[in-house]
Amino acid sequence: DSISLTQLKGIDNYYSSKIIRYRNRLGGFIDKKQLFEIKNFDSLKYYEIENYITIDPELIKKMNINFANYNELKTHPYINSSLANLIVSYRNMHGAYKDINDLKKLALMNDQLFSKLAPYLKISN
């Protein structure tokens, strides 16, 4: 929580709230280095707290792409409005996604983006 984060060297209330807010938008951190995606989070801060950070993949909140609407999708840091629109449009045209790899068929989805995004998505009907 934010109080625990402020106990770490180099993390004040400002960065504590930024970390929590970004973690919530992502659905959780899958890699410590995602902290670098936070604006103005530098390597000095990272190396001061690196040993105190734990990652638990079981706590990742996954978004169901068969039910998430455009507005829900675009709130994720890795999904811009164009990609959110494509995800919904593809689903509307082809029916529910059968496999997470179906996202690779989208024009805006490249391998790098897919590998970052896939851990945050799930499929169920």
Side-chain angles (χ1 to χ4, degrees):
D1 65 8
S2 61
I3 294 172
S4 298
L5 284 170
T6 58
Q7 304 300 311
L8 300 175
K9 184 178 179 183
I11 304 299
D12 56 15
N13 287 333
Y14 173 78
Y15 279 104
S16 173
S17 84
K18 286 181 78 88
I19 291 168
I20 299 290
R21 192 170 32 244
Y22 194 66
R23 180 193 66 195
N24 291 341
R25 285 185 62 219
L26 277 170
F29 291 108
I30 57 169
D31 187 318
K32 294 177 185 183
K33 296 202 184 232
Q34 285 176 293
L35 289 168
F36 287 117
E37 296 170 10
I38 298 171
K39 186 176 181 180
N40 297 325
F41 196 92
D42 59 31
S43 57
L44 179 60
K45 279 182 191 35
Y46 177 80
Y47 292 116
E48 286 178 333
I49 68 170
E50 176 185 25
N51 293 328
Y52 302 101
I53 301 168
T54 57
I55 301 293
D56 186 349
E58 297 296 317
L59 297 177
I60 298 298
K61 181 179 174 190
K62 296 185 176 211
M63 192 179 326
N64 188 325
I65 60 170
N66 281 330
F67 295 103
N69 65 37
Y70 167 81
N71 288 323
E72 292 167 327
L73 289 164
K74 74 176 186 162
T75 62
H76 195 280
Y78 300 155
I79 301 176
N80 64 27
S81 58
S82 298
L83 182 56
N85 189 44
L86 275 178
I87 291 170
V88 172
S89 295
Y90 183 92
R91 184 179 67 211
N92 290 339
M93 290 174 62
H94 302 282
Y97 288 92
K98 306 280 188 278
D99 187 281
I100 199 77
N101 288 305
D102 289 342
L103 288 172
K104 293 179 179 180
K105 298 173 184 174
L106 302 177
L108 296 176
M109 186 65 66
N110 59 45
D111 290 339
Q112 181 182 4
L113 177 57
F114 181 79
S115 66
K116 283 175 51 174
L117 188 55
Y120 295 103
L121 302 175
K122 66 181 179 179
I123 295 188
S124 63
N125 297 323

